[in-house]
Each structure stands twice: as C-alpha cells, then as structure tokens.
Amino acid sequence: MTPSDHALVFVDNQDTQRAGHLHFNSPLPYMQAVAFTFAYDYGLPVLTSSYYFLDAETPPPHDGDVIKDVIINNDGTFDNGWVCEHRFAIVFGAK
C-alpha cells in the first residue's frame, strides 16, 4: 500500500457518485463508510460535498448561468438542491 502520508482516501467523488457507487442516496451505509474513513488511521480523508442529482447528467443547482446559494434551514438541513455532506453530524467531530 501507499505510505499513509502519501495517500488520499475517500468514499466517493464527483465521478464515482454518478457511476452508481455508494453516495448520499444510501444514508446508513454512506454514513458508516464516511465514519470509518475518518476514524481509520490511514491516509488523508477527503470528503465530497455535493448536490442532489437524478442521473450523471444532472448539473449543479442553478438559475440560468448562476449557481444557486446553499440554504441552511433552522433544523440544520439544506435546501436549494444541495446535500452538503461536510455538514453531516457524523463529520463534525472528524479531524
């Protein structure tokens, strides 16, 4: 294996999400995988924050040529089409 100080580790990225791999649409296994990635002592964990999509061709939430702002609701959920995985409770304590 690549030495830990030279490795980036991740559960998903912009390409694997759209290829049908594990992502936010499978909440429990996704959260378990993210928690493991941050807890396991190997490499530098990388977390993708993204937006809801229906298929590989779904663009980011936009209004014409302008990307929509992330809306954070009072209950901590997100709106305007964003998922914001970096704000999931399982990630808050990760270092």
Side-chain angles (χ1 to χ4, degrees):
M1 285 179 41
T2 300
S4 182
D5 62 338
H6 288 87
L8 296 177
V9 293
F10 57 91
V11 174
D12 64 336
N13 65 30
Q14 70 278 3
D15 296 321
T16 62
Q17 282 185 335
R18 284 147 186 82
H21 295 263
L22 186 63
H23 57 77
F24 61 81
N25 282 336
S26 302
L28 181 59
Y30 181 78
M31 293 294 180
Q32 290 170 329
V34 168
F36 178 82
T37 300
F38 277 89
Y40 193 71
D41 189 24
Y42 176 76
L44 175 66
V46 177
L47 181 65
T48 298
S49 260
S50 60
Y51 55 88
Y52 290 101
F53 57 88
L54 300 174
D55 58 49
E57 303 303 318
T58 302
H62 64 284
D63 187 10
D65 292 336
V66 178
I67 300 295
K68 290 184 177 181
D69 289 335
V70 174
I71 295 175
I72 303 173
N73 300 314
N74 290 335
D75 64 358
T77 60
F78 302 93
D79 214 338
N80 239 5
W82 297 98
V83 177
C84 299
E85 291 93 326
H86 67 285
R87 298 288 302 256
F88 287 176
I90 195 77
V91 177
F92 287 153
K95 295 190 180 3

